[in-house]
Amino acid sequence: MEITKQIQALYDTIPRRYNPENVKQIYESVESYEDVLIKIEAINTFYEKNISTYFDIATEAKALIKKSSDNKLSKQQKDNFFDQGSGLLKENMQELLLFYDNGNKK
């Protein structure tokens, strides 16, 4: 599947509300997203030098999602952390689609 389509498909799978199943889903989506980032990184030196920011934001999103699973938090706090993490991930994917430009940058 073309990289742009892979990113869009992952974007479409990102859930917006906290529940244990959605946490599992978003972790799987982040892993797949990181695989796509590795593919982009391998295209040429331009992407290799400029892709690290996207990995960093994916890691930050994972940390927020992890916080949403803390049993000591209220449902509202879990929802807030999950929303922040999923929103950050979606923004990151949208920015990547613009940055990637079908692999044409050098």
Side-chain angles (χ1 to χ4, degrees):
M1 183 187 303
E2 179 190 329
I3 289 177
T4 300
K5 290 180 182 176
Q6 288 177 331
I7 297 167
Q8 188 61 53
L10 288 169
Y11 178 90
D12 293 341
T13 66
I14 302 297
R16 294 295 289 176
R17 285 281 166 241
Y18 170 82
N19 69 46
E21 294 81 30
N22 285 350
V23 170
K24 289 178 189 175
Q25 171 63 42
I26 207 164
Y27 276 136
E28 290 172 8
S29 295
V30 170
E31 286 179 25
S32 296
Y33 181 56
E34 289 172 337
D35 291 342
V36 170
L37 291 173
I38 290 168
K39 287 181 190 176
I40 294 171
E41 184 177 48
I43 292 172
N44 62 38
T45 55
F46 173 82
Y47 290 108
E48 182 181 353
K49 291 177 183 176
N50 293 289
I51 204 77
S52 64
T53 301
Y54 298 94
F55 281 105
D56 294 343
I57 294 172
T59 299
E60 186 179 336
K62 272 197 296 191
L64 288 165
I65 299 301
K66 185 176 181 177
K67 282 183 184 181
S68 76
S69 296
D70 187 340
N71 290 331
K72 295 177 184 176
L73 298 178
S74 69
K75 172 74 170 126
Q76 183 178 6
Q77 290 172 313
K78 289 179 181 186
D79 282 342
N80 286 339
F81 279 121
F82 193 89
D83 286 348
Q84 289 175 19
S86 64
L88 183 61
L89 191 56
K90 282 189 160 203
E91 288 173 15
N92 190 25
M93 289 179 177
Q94 288 174 328
E95 289 173 15
L96 179 63
L97 284 169
L98 295 172
F99 168 77
Y100 173 59
D101 190 32
N102 291 320
N104 294 322
K105 294 186 178 179
K106 300 202 184 265

